[in-house]
Amino acid sequence: MLGRCVNNIRIKIKPATLYLLSKIFRIFAYDNPRVSIMIILDTYKAGGHKLNDALLWEYDMSTFNWQTSKKLVVQRVVELGDLEDFYAAFDLYGGIGGFREILKSVPYLNDLDMNFVCNIFNLKKEELKCYKKKLSNQEHRNS
């Protein structure tokens, strides 16, 4: 993890996440006790992007159904994708808004990826199916 200092507040960020943030988003921090982050998706231009087939290595791409497997595709892009893969997924699924809606129904994301998508796409963790599923599993174990 890298430590980035913003207004004298240390934030821990994975190197891969830092790279992605630097490529996709502009981050602004304001002078207040709490760091406010304003995220702008300003480098995305619709069209002409191609998803890396390596993200779906176990599938035959000639017969792959992009619509029925959209949750899987979005999950792989979040977990393993680079900037071009995010843009390609935006193109496939109706732009940033469509991608954001599919994120809500992805069945599994690890904690770091869950936190990443909540911050970047302005979602509450309670909106994510993967978070609800995780809570349900914890409650089941505790009972």
Side-chain angles (χ1 to χ4, degrees):
M1 295 255 183
L2 295 178
R4 300 291 284 186
C5 196
V6 178
N7 288 346
N8 297 323
I9 298 173
R10 196 159 197 80
I11 301 171
K12 293 192 177 202
I13 302 173
K14 289 190 319 185
T17 304
L18 180 62
Y19 168 78
L20 190 57
L21 283 171
S22 70
K23 293 294 183 184
I24 300 179
F25 309 101
R26 288 185 193 157
I27 299 176
F28 300 96
Y30 298 95
D31 292 322
N32 63 21
R34 191 173 81 91
V35 175
S36 298
I37 299 177
M38 181 177 173
I39 300 160
I40 303 169
L41 292 165
D42 64 346
T43 58
Y44 170 64
K45 303 273 190 272
H49 303 286
K50 182 170 177 358
L51 195 73
N52 184 352
D53 291 346
L55 294 178
L56 302 162
W57 65 88
E58 70 267 49
Y59 297 96
D60 177 9
M61 300 314 292
S62 64
T63 60
F64 189 77
N65 188 325
W66 294 96
Q67 290 306 310
T68 57
S69 302
K70 60 187 171 188
K71 293 178 200 173
L72 171 69
V73 173
V74 168
Q75 179 181 349
R76 294 285 176 89
V77 167
V78 169
E79 292 173 340
L80 305 168
D82 62 14
L83 183 61
E84 182 70 15
D85 298 320
F86 273 87
Y87 289 169
F90 294 166
D91 286 349
L92 275 170
Y93 301 119
I96 296 166
F99 186 87
R100 185 178 182 271
E101 288 305 310
I102 297 167
L103 274 171
K104 293 178 183 179
S105 61
V106 169
Y108 176 80
L109 289 173
N110 66 42
D111 290 341
L112 287 172
D113 290 332
M114 226 185 301
N115 187 43
F116 174 76
V117 299
C118 284
N119 286 309
I120 299 309
F121 295 98
N122 196 25
L123 293 167
K124 292 186 169 103
K125 59 186 174 186
E126 292 81 11
E127 294 178 83
L128 301 176
K129 180 179 180 179
C130 55
Y131 179 75
K132 292 175 191 172
K133 188 175 177 181
K134 181 179 177 178
L135 282 183
S136 175
N137 288 341
Q138 286 175 349
E139 288 172 7
H140 180 64
R141 284 187 213 134
N142 293 336
S143 60

